[in-house]
Amino acid sequence: MRAGITVHKDYTISEIDPRLYGSFVEHMGRAVYSGIYEPDHPTADENGMRKDVIELVRELDVPVVRYPGGNFVSAYNWEDGIGPKEDRPVRLDLAWHTSESNQVGIHEFSEWCDAVGTEMMLAINLGTRGINEARNFLEYVNHPGGSEWSDLRRKNGREEPWNVKLWCLGNEMDGPWQTGHKTADEYGRLAYETAKAMRQFDSSLELVVCGSSSANMVTYPEWEATVLDHTYDAVDYISLHMYFENYEKDTARFLAKSKVLADYIDTVAGVIAYVKSKKRSNKDVYISFDEWNVWYHSKKRDEATLAGEAGWPFAPPLLEDDYNFEDVLQVGCILNTFINRADVVKIGCLAQLVNVIAPIMTEPGGAAWRQTIFYPFYFASRFGRGTALKLAVDCPAYASEGIGEVPYVDVSATHDADEKTLSFFIVNRSESEAADLDIALEGFDPQTVLDDKVIAHTDINVTNTAAAPDTVKPADASDAAIGGKGMTASVAPLSYRFIRLQLN
């Protein structure tokens, strides 16, 4: 199978916001407790944080992490997580039917963020709480001192404010499962008034309003139109969420779903443009895709706990998907979609970071390791910076019912002018044919192949485990070749490929 790809230095999509490669830590399952925080672990630092996990997160170079939820935030009292640990209350978490010890709160999380080299993206509770609690939290986090809440922060050990710029106005408020679920009008009004109050404190904040929790919601895309009608000039981003499933074990259809993702983004981009025109606004609102991942491997296993049959356990295993090789390809396609729509999607949060549908897994008291999906995320986060390039792709396609024509070769490319590099992220969806790539490099002067990596396996269901953590991992490839102003390479069936060129 031949695939012709043309890339031109001047045909660009957008500069990529580095926060496109963010992630997410929610108080659920073992994401926090025995995930990032385990004071008795052999590698624990002075704050009780697992240093083995810190090193793996640093390897991913995640620029922003959303916290503390997720569904958890919609009944969360942020005040429970401050002050002396021995005085913090144990609460029942309605979202995940578990107990929350509050041993990790804003102070501990901020110290962890400093350790891994990331910024905080904080979510406020607009389910059971509202404007007053939001402005108090903002004052606690961002005001230097001389007020009740900022002085309490200083008393609790943090002298300087954190100056968090990025705030989520609730979570998935379109979802009937959400504690404090609201209609679009109810939520839109509350979100606007909350945003207005927060901007009265600091007009430079970046605020994210809740969009649809999936494209399957009956309120989509009317929800976006209504919420933005209320909030457009007061917010900067609208959030979207999407998870990918393959219960049917149909690889071709599973890998076609990134086209559904692209359509989802395009539809909401259209709604944004409509509201902007309707309001005669001069500002732009972008998409924060702040929850996304493959999620289906663990759902049936967790049903009893989520139904309350286990009582209110503390940090039980929940949503611990064991990712297989097939998921590498899906995550690669998702990331390509984000890069190819970097003009609209500015923030992304892989949900989640540790243990809970995550690229990093841990054993309590034991090892931490990279799941299969760690690697495509690593390549995109590390090397998918700079400018997203518009590609012309000519290759065979296949038909997927209800989705349409899907190219066998899925690809994105980025140009880092500072580093003088050109990177390609490639997935071959074909189950039987290699893709012989013929890439025209217009306007570029390639010097050498810096990196040529492949992720492939003969078994799409194979996983990485604590006992065998390197079953799926990148290997060196060697056939990417520069010739004149072009490049050739052959991409094996059902494989992921990363190629980076040094430019003159």
Side-chain angles (χ1 to χ4, degrees), residues 72 75-77 80 89-93 98-102 312:
F72 173 82
Y76 178 57
N77 301 327
D80 292 343
V90 173
R91 300 286 189 193
L92 301 183
D93 172 29
T98 57
S99 296
E100 169 57 49
S101 71
N102 286 300
W312 299 90

Side-chain angles (χ1 to χ4, degrees), residues 227-274:
V227 168
L228 285 175
D229 197 42
H230 285 291
T231 64
Y232 190 91
D233 287 314
V235 301
D236 304 283
Y237 307 93
I238 186 164
S239 72
L240 296 182
H241 296 173
M242 186 172 180
Y243 293 99
F244 297 79
E245 302 172 343
N246 188 20
Y247 290 111
E248 302 84 2
K249 299 299 180 184
D250 184 340
T251 297
R253 183 168 181 78
F254 181 51
L255 298 182
K257 291 182 180 180
S258 59
K259 188 174 185 297
V260 178
L261 169 64
D263 292 343
Y264 187 21
I265 293 168
D266 289 345
T267 297
V268 174
V271 174
I272 292 170
Y274 160 71

Side-chain angles (χ1 to χ4, degrees), residues 327-367:
D327 299 324
V328 170
L329 307 178
Q330 180 64 279
V331 168
C333 289
I334 295 166
L335 289 163
N336 283 347
T337 303
F338 290 154
I339 292 170
N340 287 329
R341 282 158 178 78
D343 55 332
V344 177
V345 182
K346 297 299 181 180
I347 299 168
C349 297
L350 173 65
Q352 292 186 19
L353 190 53
V354 185
N355 288 331
V356 175
I357 47 174
I360 298 168
M361 289 295 292
T362 71
E363 289 181 334

Side-chain angles (χ1 to χ4, degrees), residues 168-174 187 191 208-212 223-224 227 237-240:
C168 301
L169 304 176
N171 173 75
E172 291 187 355
M173 298 309 298
D174 64 323
Y187 170 68
V208 184
V209 72
C210 291
S212 291
W223 173 276
E224 280 78 7
V227 168
Y237 307 93
I238 186 164
S239 72
L240 296 182

